[in-house]
């Protein structure tokens, strides 16, 4: 079994940046559960400032991943093509009942091209789709981070170089289903805090015990978003099992032809071999030098 090439490798700097940004993202998603009501941090009007602070951090990890270890033009071109394809697929469902075919392409791309490529691709695809559909808002950095996690997780699935056939399709389909539901759940945590202060049984209550807020959040997910998350998961499974073999072969063929892992070497140019009239002129010049300087003529036996 041939080892698959990784278009974007995670070096030390990019890995450190990715860990730091992921930690900030986890804190940004979960800070309302731990903030005290008198701190002023649990108010919904403060959340957009935190969202705006997360966007440059996401761009920083993208830049660090692209610059670490020297990413060539082939990897950048593949990122651009797949990000454009993902951005074009997202509006097809228009958010109707959670139908988002881009999850299928993102998961398969992360599976073939590795976690580093997957995180960059997921974040850029969400950014491009937001610009395409006009969905720019305080939720966009969280969408970029969540989709980056989804694609990175696909690249971390086991058997990347050995598992093929039906087993790989089942693995990718199962991961796509779980990731689709988790994506919706994580994004619910971002928007749920806006319900703080409302007198409903599913509202976020600043300063309440974490267990109580999590119980209300679970009810909120079951009552609001599960009808979108399950169709998204079902569509991802269907597309992975039907179109998955063709897409996986195409991605692996493109990766082999791009030869991302092949080192670039520059060899010294060989001296040109004279021929024709040029060779005759050089021979006459050499003979003339020999007649004028007999000592330089090489001895023969």
């Amino acid at each position: 079994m041939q080892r698959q090439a990784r278009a974007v490798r995670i070096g030390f700097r990019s890995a450190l940046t990715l860990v730091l940004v992921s930690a900030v993202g986890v804190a940004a998603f979960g800070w309302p559960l731990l903030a005290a009501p008198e701190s002023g941090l649990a108010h919904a009007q403060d959340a957009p400032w935190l969202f705006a602070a997360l966007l440059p951090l996401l761009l920083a990890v993208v830049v660090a991943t692209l610059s670490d270890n020297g990413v060539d033009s082939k990897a950048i071109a593949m990122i651009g093509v797949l990000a454009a394809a993902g951005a074009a697929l997202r509006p097809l469902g228009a958010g109707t009942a959670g139908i988002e075919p881009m999850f299928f392409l993102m998961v398969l791309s992360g599976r073939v091209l590795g976690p580093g490529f997957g995180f960059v691709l997921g974040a850029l695809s969400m950014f491009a789709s937001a610009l395409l559909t006009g969905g720019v808002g305080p939720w966009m950095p969280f969408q970029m981070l969540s989709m980056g996690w989804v694609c990175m997780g696909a690249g971390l699935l086991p058997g990347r170089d050995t598992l093929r056939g039906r087993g790989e399709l089942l693995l990718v389909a199962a991961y796509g289903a779980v990731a689709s539901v988790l994506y919706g759940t994580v994004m619910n945590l971002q928007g749920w805090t806006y319900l703080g202060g409302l007198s409903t049984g599913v509202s976020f209550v600043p300063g309440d015990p974490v267990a109580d807020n999590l119980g209300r959040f679970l009810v909120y997910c079951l009552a609001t978003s599960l009808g979108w998350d399950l169709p998204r998961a079902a569509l991802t499974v269907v597309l992975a099992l039907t179109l998955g073999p063709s897409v996986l072969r195409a991605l692996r063929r493109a990766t082999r032809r791009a030869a991302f892992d092949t080192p670039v070497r520059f060899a010294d140019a060989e001296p040109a071999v004279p021929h024709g009239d040029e060779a005759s002129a050089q021979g006459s010049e050499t003979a003339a030098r020999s007649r004028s300087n007999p000592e330089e003529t090489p001895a023969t036996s």
Side-chain angles (χ1 to χ4, degrees):
M1 188 68 64
Q2 187 179 13
R3 185 181 66 86
Q4 292 296 314
R6 284 175 171 82
V8 177
R9 293 183 175 276
I10 296 183
F12 175 76
R13 290 176 300 176
S14 56
L16 180 61
T17 308
L18 181 59
V19 170
L20 291 177
V21 174
S22 297
V24 172
V26 171
F29 276 113
W31 64 265
L33 299 176
L34 303 176
E38 63 273 8
S39 65
L41 294 177
H43 297 160
Q45 58 267 25
D46 298 328
W49 298 100
L50 184 59
F51 302 161
L54 187 61
L55 180 57
L57 295 177
L58 280 173
L59 296 178
V61 75
V62 171
V63 172
T65 307
L66 290 176
S67 61
D68 210 356
N69 296 330
V71 177
D72 59 8
S73 58
K74 295 178 292 185
I76 295 176
M78 183 167 286
I79 289 176
V81 170
L82 291 177
L89 285 175
R90 192 182 182 197
L92 293 181
T96 304
I99 303 300
E100 295 184 77
M102 74 172 297
F103 274 77
F104 148 73
L105 179 62
M106 296 296 102
V107 170
L108 294 185
S109 300
R111 168 65 177 175
V112 172
L113 297 165
F117 190 100
F119 184 85
V120 175
L121 175 62
L124 289 181
S125 297
M126 274 298 178
F127 182 78
S129 66
L131 296 180
L132 182 63
T133 60
V136 178
W139 54 84
M140 185 181 67
F142 282 84
Q143 290 177 334
M144 294 171 61
L145 184 61
S146 300
M147 184 57 71
W149 284 339
V150 168
C151 297
M152 184 175 65
L156 294 174
L157 291 176
R160 180 173 174 271
D161 298 322
T162 57
L163 185 61
R164 294 292 185 271
R166 185 181 298 274
E168 183 181 32
L169 290 179
L170 293 176
L171 176 65
V172 171
Y175 173 80
V178 174
S180 298
V181 175
L182 289 180
Y183 173 86
T185 303
V186 170
M187 288 305 302
N188 284 340
L189 187 59
Q190 174 264 327
W192 177 58
T193 57
Y194 289 102
L195 299 179
L198 299 180
S199 58
T200 64
V202 296
S203 300
F204 166 66
V205 180
D208 260 20
V210 175
D212 294 343
N213 269 325
L214 286 179
R216 285 189 287 268
F217 175 68
L218 179 60
V219 176
Y220 170 78
C221 292
L222 294 175
T224 59
S225 69
L226 195 62
W228 276 262
D229 296 339
L230 292 181
R232 183 192 303 120
L235 178 64
T236 303
V237 170
V238 171
L239 292 179
L241 295 178
T242 55
L243 302 179
S246 300
V247 175
L248 288 173
R249 283 196 300 269
L251 290 173
R252 286 181 172 128
R253 186 184 307 113
T255 304
R256 286 194 302 269
R257 292 185 177 180
F260 294 114
D261 283 346
T262 302
V264 178
R265 296 186 178 89
F266 297 94
D268 296 334
E270 297 181 358
V273 179
H275 56 84
D277 296 338
E278 184 180 356
S280 301
Q282 290 184 3
S284 302
E285 183 179 355
T286 302
R289 286 200 305 267
S290 299
R291 287 193 297 269
S292 59
N293 301 298
E295 297 179 355
E296 295 182 1
T297 305
T300 57
S301 57

